[in-house]
Amino acid sequence: MKTLLKVVVVCALGAIALFWLVANFSAVESRFQCDGQVAVQGKRQPMTLYMKLEEYRPWVRLWSDSDASLNLEAPSQWVDYYEHLEAIGDQLQIYETYPQKALRGNFSRLSKTLALDLKVGGLFDGECKTMN
């Protein structure tokens, strides 16, 4: 009976440790400041966006079909969230999932450029710098 109790305790501790590892180490977060221009009805205006990119570890594919998620902020204007990104080489393709899956833009991990058809209107194109 004591052996069975030890096995149950070890299994429970192992499950807790595994859950802790998955919960704390399933994504790598990067923050960027993206300076560029937004084109609205043919007019281009300078714009700065702040971006938080969470890239998922390979095991996240067991329960999700997304490779990353993206938070965007235009200070004092709006915030936005994209939950479905697909990694194609060094490029992350950014999708809107509601009401249907539609490609909105891309982010290059190589050149650190963001090209995105913003949900609030306009096409953003700019270069991003890593923030600490």
Side-chain angles (χ1 to χ4, degrees):
M1 194 67 163
K2 288 184 179 183
T3 306
L4 179 62
L5 181 61
K6 286 180 183 180
V7 169
V8 170
V9 169
V10 168
C11 288
L13 290 175
I16 291 169
L18 182 62
F19 176 76
W20 181 83
L21 283 171
V22 168
N24 289 300
F25 298 102
S26 288
V28 176
E29 181 181 298
S30 303
R31 293 173 183 254
F32 300 91
Q33 176 180 329
C34 303
D35 296 312
Q37 294 184 343
V38 64
V40 179
Q41 298 177 347
K43 296 180 182 177
R44 299 183 76 72
Q45 301 174 14
M47 177 178 268
T48 298
L49 295 179
Y50 294 90
M51 179 173 78
K52 180 173 75 170
L53 175 66
E54 289 188 331
E55 295 184 74
Y56 304 140
R57 299 287 191 187
W59 60 80
V60 175
R61 276 288 197 192
L62 295 173
W63 60 84
S64 174
D65 62 350
S66 181
D67 293 316
S69 65
L70 181 72
N71 287 291
L72 285 178
E73 177 184 343
S76 302
Q77 295 178 33
W78 51 265
V79 295
D80 212 346
Y81 176 71
Y82 296 87
E83 65 185 20
H84 189 87
L85 281 71
E86 292 180 9
I88 309 292
D90 285 322
Q91 186 180 91
L92 291 171
Q93 294 182 337
I94 304 165
Y95 289 88
E96 181 175 17
T97 56
Y98 183 81
Q100 61 188 10
K101 185 177 173 182
L103 182 64
R104 299 298 295 218
N106 62 68
F107 174 69
S108 171
R109 292 182 282 193
L110 184 62
S111 64
K112 304 286 190 275
T113 56
L114 175 66
L116 186 61
D117 182 6
L118 301 172
K119 292 179 189 178
V120 295
L123 296 167
F124 178 84
D125 189 22
E127 294 184 13
C128 302
K129 295 177 184 165
T130 306
M131 297 172 51
N132 290 334

